[in-house]
Each structure stands twice: as structure tokens, then as C-alpha cells.
């Protein structure tokens, strides 16, 4: 009998993830870790890096290519929308 993953049925691919579910998970993680979230749903670069499993330096390098992970500059500091982070994770 062949054994295969019940989710991917042997393709090796993960099932699609709903960005809306990921967004709620990110908000929950922020609340649990006492991370600041702006009123419009944005977080600092160090928080964004922690939430998606990258280093702040990687995000710094990626800011040269806004298409990779969009950000907004406020008071000279980058902020990342939780919605954009959820979309990034859904595609990863």
C-alpha cells in the first residue's frame, strides 16, 4: 500500500492557505507577544520579520524591491501591513 500525504495526495504540495485566516493568525500573534499594531494594521520592520520568519536585515535588503514585500515609510521608519504579510505567507 502506498503512503501519501492526505493533504497533497502525493504531489508534495501544501494545500492552499486562505490569506484571511493568516491575517487573523498574525493579529493574534501580535496580541500574544504584545507587539504594537497601528490603527491601520501595520507593524514595525522587526515585528514583521519575526512574524514571517526572516531577519530584519533581509527586510532591509528587500526594501530596494517594493514588489517583493510592500512597505510604507512613516517618520523615516518602514511599516508593513499585516495584510501584505499574510499574502506573502500564503504564496510562500
Amino acid at each position: 500500500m502506498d503512503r501519501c500525504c492526505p493533504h497533497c495526495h502525493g504531489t508534495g504540495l501544501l494545500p492552499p492557505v486562505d490569506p484571511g485566516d493568516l491575517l487573523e493568525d498574525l493579529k493574534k500573534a501580535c496580541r500574544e507577544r504584545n507587539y504594537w499594531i497601528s490603527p491601520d494594521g501595520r507593524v514595525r520592520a522587526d515585528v514583521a520579520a519575526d512574524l514571517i520568519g526572516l531577519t530584519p536585515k533581509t527586510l532591509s535588503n528587500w526594501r530596494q524591491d517594493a514588489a517583493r514585500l510592500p512597505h510604507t515609510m512613516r517618520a523615516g521608519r518602514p511599516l508593513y501591513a499585516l495584510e501584505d504579510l499574510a499574502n506573502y505567507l500564503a504564496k510562500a
Side-chain angles (χ1 to χ4, degrees):
M1 179 168 119
D2 291 335
R3 300 175 80 188
C4 69
C5 171
H7 300 289
C8 68
H9 304 288
T11 64
L13 302 173
L14 295 173
V17 179
D18 179 21
D21 292 340
L22 287 173
L23 179 58
E24 290 307 313
D25 290 344
L26 291 173
K27 288 179 182 178
K28 181 180 176 186
C30 287
R31 286 190 300 271
E32 289 172 353
R33 299 173 189 178
N34 293 319
Y35 288 155
W36 174 82
I37 303 174
S38 73
D40 64 346
R42 297 178 188 278
V43 294
R44 296 184 326 259
D46 59 325
V47 171
D50 183 50
L51 291 172
I52 62 174
L54 298 173
T55 66
K57 178 64 177 162
T58 298
L59 289 185
S60 175
N61 292 337
W62 284 9
R63 282 195 285 278
Q64 304 303 317
D65 179 12
R68 186 173 259 182
L69 189 57
H71 67 283
T72 303
M73 297 297 286
R74 290 197 187 147
R77 294 205 163 104
L79 295 177
Y80 293 86
L82 288 174
E83 184 176 349
D84 292 335
L85 298 178
N87 289 332
Y88 168 79
L89 290 172
K91 292 177 186 176

